[in-house]
Amino acid sequence: MSSGRQSGPKTREVFPSEVVERYRKRALAVRKKLRNRGPHEWCRADFDAGALFDVFPNVRLRPGYRLLTYLYHSGGNGNGRVVAFSEESDAYRSIAAVPAGQPLESPPWVEDEILHPLQVSDGDGSALAYLSASLLMRELHEVGAEWHGIHWDVEHVMAPTLAHLAGKRRPSRHNQSLQDLVDELGWTQGKSDIESLAPEVRFEDGVVRVVLHIHTGLGREQVTRCADIYTDSYLPARECEVVAVGGPGFMF
């Protein structure tokens, strides 16, 4: 099934902070419905990970596939895994028959015919669909994260407001805070303008690149430029490099 990927002349679209934050808030509300309080082992969770796809209407799981969520909980730490199966497969019927909450030695692996959910997803081919896939990939990875398992929830996608990108340089608390952060950090390739930090989707020669500048204070304050590279599916390859650093961060 086609991924809906565009081709032809190079095109580029940027997105403001409002778009990213709207999706992130809705996805977090879905993930908060999961209470990671199972046994101190792996188990299958009674959690509808498909609700995360509902947050991102430009990307959808293909018919004929089902999602299962697995959790690991230890003390205050936790992490999880969301996997996709063909609903017609023997592996899915066997694994889905194990009751939610029953301790497992390990979650399903590749030999159990699992797929990443975005391997079997389609979109409408728009720039927003690819931005959505990049955000959804990170939301899926954060399912079940607790304490030392948390990463995405303490990361910030850097972007100015819609008004700023539209050329309206009105005073804004958000944009001023973003500019202050840029001024405080040490940039490896020269200080960036806040406009250049906005999430960007590029279409060129059959390849789609979603570029995100992600700030975190976990461990050490830094900014990572992540390029998610889409070729034949809505699951990207990733290239990341640290482009700015600050002082000591925080630890859980």
Short mmCIF file of all heavy atoms in Angstrom, two decimals, residues 7 104 116 124:
data_model
loop_
_atom_site.label_atom_id
_atom_site.label_comp_id
_atom_site.label_asym_id
_atom_site.label_seq_id
_atom_site.Cartn_x
_atom_site.Cartn_y
_atom_site.Cartn_z
N SER A 7 6.36 13.41 -4.63
CA SER A 7 7.57 13.45 -5.43
C SER A 7 7.52 14.70 -6.29
O SER A 7 6.53 15.42 -6.32
CB SER A 7 7.69 12.19 -6.29
OG SER A 7 6.58 12.11 -7.17
N LEU A 104 5.24 -11.62 32.23
CA LEU A 104 5.89 -12.24 31.08
C LEU A 104 7.40 -12.14 31.26
O LEU A 104 7.90 -11.18 31.86
CB LEU A 104 5.50 -11.51 29.79
CG LEU A 104 4.02 -11.48 29.42
CD1 LEU A 104 3.81 -10.52 28.26
CD2 LEU A 104 3.53 -12.87 29.05
N HIS A 116 6.79 -2.41 13.82
CA HIS A 116 6.58 -1.09 14.40
C HIS A 116 5.28 -0.54 13.84
O HIS A 116 4.98 -0.70 12.64
CB HIS A 116 7.74 -0.15 14.03
CG HIS A 116 7.72 1.13 14.78
ND1 HIS A 116 6.80 2.14 14.52
CD2 HIS A 116 8.51 1.60 15.80
CE1 HIS A 116 7.03 3.16 15.33
NE2 HIS A 116 8.05 2.85 16.12
N ASP A 124 -1.73 10.95 4.34
CA ASP A 124 -2.27 11.62 3.16
C ASP A 124 -1.18 12.29 2.31
O ASP A 124 -1.49 12.98 1.34
CB ASP A 124 -3.33 12.65 3.57
CG ASP A 124 -2.80 13.74 4.48
OD1 ASP A 124 -1.57 13.90 4.59
OD2 ASP A 124 -3.62 14.44 5.11
#
